[in-house]
Amino acid sequence: MRVAVTSAASVLVAVAVACAPALRSTAVRPLTGAEIAHLWQEPADLEARDLFHGAGGVEHVPPPGVAWRFKSVDTTGFSRGYDVVGPDGRDWDVKLGVEAQTEVLASRILWAVGYHQPPTYFVIQWRLQDAPGIDASHPQPSARFRADVAGMKSAGEWSWEENPFVGTRPFQGLLVLNLLLSNWDLKGTNNRLYESVDVTEGAPQRWFVVRDLGATFGKSRGYFPGTRNNPRDYERQEFITGVRNGYVQFAYSGRHKRLLERITPADAVWICERLDRLTDRQWNDAFRAAGYVEDARVRILTTLERHITQGLALADRPAAGASTP
């Protein structure tokens, strides 16, 4: 029976991969630096970035000791949560459960190397008021708090398969980075497009964001959902298995293999070089921001460092193609 189930799962994965759409750039000409900046900007302050407070900085840290006003229950996705309002009237999305830590940690890492992220924080204890059946004096469990992006509004999802950045080095690097973090849930519904709220002249500012990062730091399991926030599984999740015909081969067994078919060694080196510039203090601050205990921090960080070293080792490997800048 075990063999039959495994075989069936393999067939389902093969069918899903075969039916997946090919990657296609929606750009009609080579992108300018300003257009690439909608996805990624080279962080001139990379080694000095504050990975404890992240993209939102210290000014947006959720205030301690306050009660958050209940708006609604969020039942979408793997983790349940709430939409709440802070004491200043600002809306926050709250995620409970095992993904709360991974989303904060992964968000810190993406933002550190230049990818846009909303303000995201890990709150160990908090209170919820005006919620049906919940005592406002009773502390709630630890959660991920995510704020709206100041001056920006959500404008829907964006697709991995069709977007202006397909084939560019930052897009390829983003795919490699998600694999390095063992993000097995690479679906478009986890991506969010933000646009400027007020546009007086010219085109609106746009951010292409990989926002739902909870399915990280675990292990992919083919057609079935992988694990998340599991240091033991993450240690066992391989990253790069080799280079074939000039393209990197990854130890990824999820549903989105089509995305990874044309990643060159140079693409992997490009993102790993930026990760390698982060200091020990920055790495430790990122784990501290996500509330990780010491054993989990050491195990995950050791695996991250091994994966980065593996990516850097591809520097001398020949590539079949080249990515645009």
Side-chain angles (χ1 to χ4, degrees):
M1 180 64 69
R2 186 186 186 98
V3 173
V5 171
T6 302
S7 299
S10 300
V11 170
L12 287 171
V13 171
V15 170
V17 171
C19 295
L23 273 68
R24 183 181 73 86
S25 173
T26 58
V28 296
R29 52 170 173 73
L31 299 181
T32 66
E35 290 167 331
I36 287 287
H38 293 159
L39 177 72
W40 169 87
Q41 291 177 285
E42 184 78 72
D45 61 342
L46 192 153
E47 292 89 346
R49 288 205 156 186
D50 177 3
L51 295 198
F52 182 69
H53 296 106
V58 66
E59 61 269 27
H60 295 301
V61 172
V66 302
W68 300 79
R69 181 165 55 85
F70 171 84
K71 283 184 65 178
S72 62
V73 176
D74 185 355
T75 58
T76 61
F78 175 82
S79 301
R80 74 180 188 91
Y82 302 100
D83 293 320
V84 303
V85 180
D88 61 353
R90 191 175 190 183
D91 290 332
W92 292 77
D93 180 278
V94 177
K95 175 179 283 190
L96 304 173
V98 69
E99 291 187 324
Q101 285 184 299
T102 55
E103 192 156 306
V104 171
L105 178 58
S107 175
R108 292 291 188 276
I109 296 171
L110 264 70
W111 175 75
V113 294
Y115 294 100
H116 301 298
Q117 284 292 298
T120 306
Y121 302 91
F122 184 73
V123 178
I124 295 177
Q125 195 175 90
W126 57 289
R127 292 183 293 114
L128 185 63
Q129 66 180 14
D130 300 334
I134 294 180
D135 185 347
S137 65
H138 184 71
Q140 296 298 309
S142 56
R144 184 273 286 137
F145 274 60
R146 184 182 67 219
D148 290 340
V149 180
M152 307 282 275
K153 63 180 179 180
S154 174
E157 302 166 2
W158 63 273
S159 166
W160 284 107
E161 289 80 13
E162 293 189 9
N163 64 75
F165 312 103
V166 168
T168 66
R169 183 60 48 77
F171 179 76
Q172 302 288 80
L174 179 59
L175 286 169
V176 175
L177 179 51
N178 274 272
L179 290 184
L180 190 146
L181 304 180
S182 192
N183 184 3
W184 47 265
D185 198 17
L186 299 174
K187 58 179 184 248
T189 53
N190 290 335
N191 298 339
R192 187 61 49 180
L193 176 64
Y194 288 94
E195 289 189 346
S196 307
V197 173
D198 297 314
V199 182
T200 55
E201 59 182 51
Q205 170 68 11
R206 311 182 86 195
W207 283 7
F208 288 74
V209 177
V210 181
R211 196 176 71 172
D212 191 336
L213 294 159
T216 48
F217 303 108
K219 185 176 178 62
S220 61
R221 297 194 303 171
Y223 182 79
F224 301 102
T227 60
R228 34 173 77 78
N229 202 13
N230 187 318
R232 182 180 180 185
D233 279 357
Y234 186 55
E235 287 175 326
R236 297 176 175 181
Q237 176 66 63
E238 295 298 325
F239 176 39
I240 293 171
T241 60
V243 176
R244 181 183 303 164
N245 298 325
Y247 295 108
V248 182
Q249 306 298 300
F250 295 96
Y252 172 80
S253 60
R255 308 180 189 186
H256 312 284
K257 288 185 177 182
R258 182 65 63 87
L259 297 173
L260 316 175
E261 291 179 349
R262 300 186 69 81
I263 293 175
T264 69
D267 294 328
V269 171
W270 181 86
I271 191 63
C272 288
E273 284 178 340
R274 284 155 178 78
L275 293 167
D276 194 47
R277 288 167 53 192
L278 294 173
T279 66
D280 290 343
R281 177 177 179 177
Q282 287 174 301
W283 283 115
N284 290 331
D285 281 348
F287 280 90
R288 190 161 56 93
Y292 276 92
V293 298
E294 181 64 7
D295 177 68
R297 182 194 69 83
V298 170
R299 297 176 76 169
I300 293 175
L301 183 55
T302 299
T303 305
L304 277 168
E305 291 172 340
R306 185 175 74 245
H307 289 174
I308 293 168
T309 299
Q310 195 175 11
L312 292 172
L314 297 177
D316 297 326
R317 298 297 296 266
S323 298
T324 54

